[in-house]
């Protein structure tokens, strides 16, 4: 926060003008890139949500001021549909990441139970490179948007099938690695642990998502997949249960007072 506050100037409206900059490794010339704006908005809101006992009044006043100086998420609109752009202005494309998707993950502005879910869904649908493997985050973002079938498909692909890099096809697991959770080569050579990180993050996001005190349980879980789970949530909470033939059974929330915050997924009885 201090870096962006001090490094960049304000425009005529008093807003931070984040330029020169770039949008990830994809758009090498960008002004006010979506990942930075989304990140600042989420981080500053999180700081302001901390208990006042952990902060000073001077910190809170500064965070509130800086948040007021951050521009809105860059949005495109056409024929009644809206989606996130990589930046307010962007050019000089060099790579294949999706800066616009950072407003879904890791900075969770759009997703299950959040406002303007349709913007997140439209942004996801319009991404140019629709694939998984290695560090690619499509699987996590699909789960966070409640897109069960797509999250499931990408998860299975990361676990069981071959990954494509350019014109070369490599096995998902590296056969000559000492450890079975070393994949690659994908994008950043070997050992690739990103593939496994995406598997874990996707699986957990299919099982549980939290938003403030809300616990969204099984928001993107395939109806025909059975499961036994014990998951941790904020506020020293654990959630245990089973999914059997599309039914959620033996649900136990600790402490019991948090049970009122559980929201069950639409695909679960």
């Amino acid at each position: 926060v201090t870096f962006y506050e001090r490094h960049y100037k304000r425009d005529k409206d008093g807003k931070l003008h984040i330029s020169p900059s770039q949008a990830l490794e994809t758009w090498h010339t960008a002004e006010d890139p979506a990942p930075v704006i989304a990140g600042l908005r989420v981080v500053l809101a999180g700081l302001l949500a901390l208990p006042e006992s952990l902060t000073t009044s001077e910190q809170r006043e500064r965070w509130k001021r800086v948040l007021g100086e951050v521009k809105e998420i860059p949005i495109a609109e056409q024929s009644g549909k809206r989606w996130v752009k990589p930046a307010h202005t962007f050019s000089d494309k060099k790579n294949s990441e999706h800066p616009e998707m950072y407003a879904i993950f890791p900075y969770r502005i759009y997703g299950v139970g959040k406002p303007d879910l349709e913007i997140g869904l439209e942004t996801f649908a319009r991404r140019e490179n629709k694939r998984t493997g290695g560090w690619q985050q499509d699987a996590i973002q699909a789960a966070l948007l409640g897109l069960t079938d797509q999250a499931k498909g990408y998860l299975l692909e990361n676990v069981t099938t071959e990954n494509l890099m350019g014109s070369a096809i490599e096995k998902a697991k590296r056969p000559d690695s000492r450890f079975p959770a070393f994949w690659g080569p994908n994008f950043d050579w070997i050992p690739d642990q990103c593939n496994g990180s995406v598997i874990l993050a996707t699986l957990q996001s299919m099982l549980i998502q939290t938003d403030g005190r809300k616990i969204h349980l099984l928001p993107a879980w395939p109806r025909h997949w059975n499961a036994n789970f014990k998951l941790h949530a904020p506020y020293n909470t654990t959630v245990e249960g089973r999914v059997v033939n599309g039914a959620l059974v033996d649900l136990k929330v600790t402490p019991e007072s948090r049970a009122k915050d559980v929201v069950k997924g639409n695909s679960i009885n």
Side-chain angles (χ1 to χ4, degrees):
V1 171
T2 300
F3 169 79
Y4 285 103
E5 178 191 20
R6 296 182 180 179
H7 186 74
Y8 289 105
K9 297 179 180 179
R10 276 64 174 169
D11 63 16
K12 60 181 178 59
D13 298 318
K15 299 292 186 180
L16 276 170
H17 180 54
I18 302 170
S19 176
S21 189
Q22 65 186 65
L24 303 185
E25 296 178 43
T26 302
W27 301 99
H28 281 212
T29 302
E31 296 186 24
D32 303 308
V36 175
I37 291 177
L40 283 171
R41 286 191 161 277
V42 169
V43 168
L44 284 163
L47 289 170
L48 287 167
L50 289 171
E52 292 192 12
S53 61
L54 299 179
T55 65
T56 66
S57 58
E58 291 79 11
Q59 285 177 317
R60 301 181 72 83
E61 285 301 315
R62 173 172 163 259
W63 295 333
K64 190 180 299 183
R65 173 180 55 77
V66 176
L67 181 57
E69 295 172 347
V70 177
K71 291 183 181 179
E72 298 294 326
I73 298 290
I75 297 290
E77 185 170 358
Q78 185 178 19
S79 302
K81 295 184 176 181
R82 296 186 296 163
W83 61 95
V84 182
K85 299 190 298 182
H88 279 277
T89 66
F90 50 97
S91 60
D92 195 17
K93 187 177 183 183
K94 300 291 185 181
N95 219 327
S96 59
E97 297 90 354
H98 299 117
E100 63 274 20
M101 299 292 291
Y102 272 49
I104 300 167
F105 177 83
Y107 305 116
R108 295 179 54 196
I109 293 175
Y110 306 105
V112 171
K114 295 178 177 290
D116 299 318
L117 174 60
E118 67 279 359
I119 293 178
L121 292 169
E122 186 67 22
T123 304
F124 186 81
R126 288 176 177 268
R127 70 197 192 285
E128 291 187 19
N129 301 294
K130 301 177 180 180
R131 57 187 183 182
T132 191
W135 51 257
Q136 294 173 110
Q137 303 168 353
D138 300 47
I140 303 170
Q141 291 154 347
L144 291 172
L145 291 169
L147 298 172
T148 302
D149 289 343
Q150 294 190 52
K152 169 194 165 187
Y154 283 142
L155 179 66
L156 291 176
E157 188 174 341
N158 274 33
V159 171
T160 63
T161 65
E162 295 175 337
N163 290 331
L164 181 64
M165 178 184 177
S167 59
I169 295 179
E170 301 286 347
K171 291 292 184 182
K173 293 183 179 180
R174 184 72 183 176
D176 56 356
S177 290
R178 179 176 181 182
F179 301 104
F182 283 173
W183 286 263
N186 289 313
F187 298 90
D188 301 310
W189 211 240
I190 55 175
D192 171 18
Q193 299 174 69
C194 295
N195 193 73
S197 299
V198 171
I199 290 170
L200 293 173
T202 301
L203 187 63
Q204 177 146 328
S205 297
M206 293 168 72
L207 282 164
I208 189 172
Q209 298 176 30
T210 60
D211 184 14
R213 297 195 68 89
K214 289 293 182 185
I215 301 171
H216 294 275
L217 196 56
L218 310 174
W221 192 253
R223 193 175 183 86
H224 62 283
W225 280 10
N226 293 339
N228 296 333
F229 60 86
K230 180 179 181 180
L231 305 165
H232 292 268
Y235 304 101
N236 296 315
T237 303
T238 57
V239 183
E240 301 177 61
R242 296 187 298 136
V243 182
V244 181
N245 299 325
L248 178 61
V249 298
D250 299 333
L251 179 62
K252 178 183 178 182
V253 181
T254 307
E256 293 183 1
S257 59
R258 290 279 276 140
K260 66 180 185 302
D261 298 322
V262 172
V263 180
K264 298 177 184 178
N266 293 330
S267 63
I268 300 299
N269 296 328

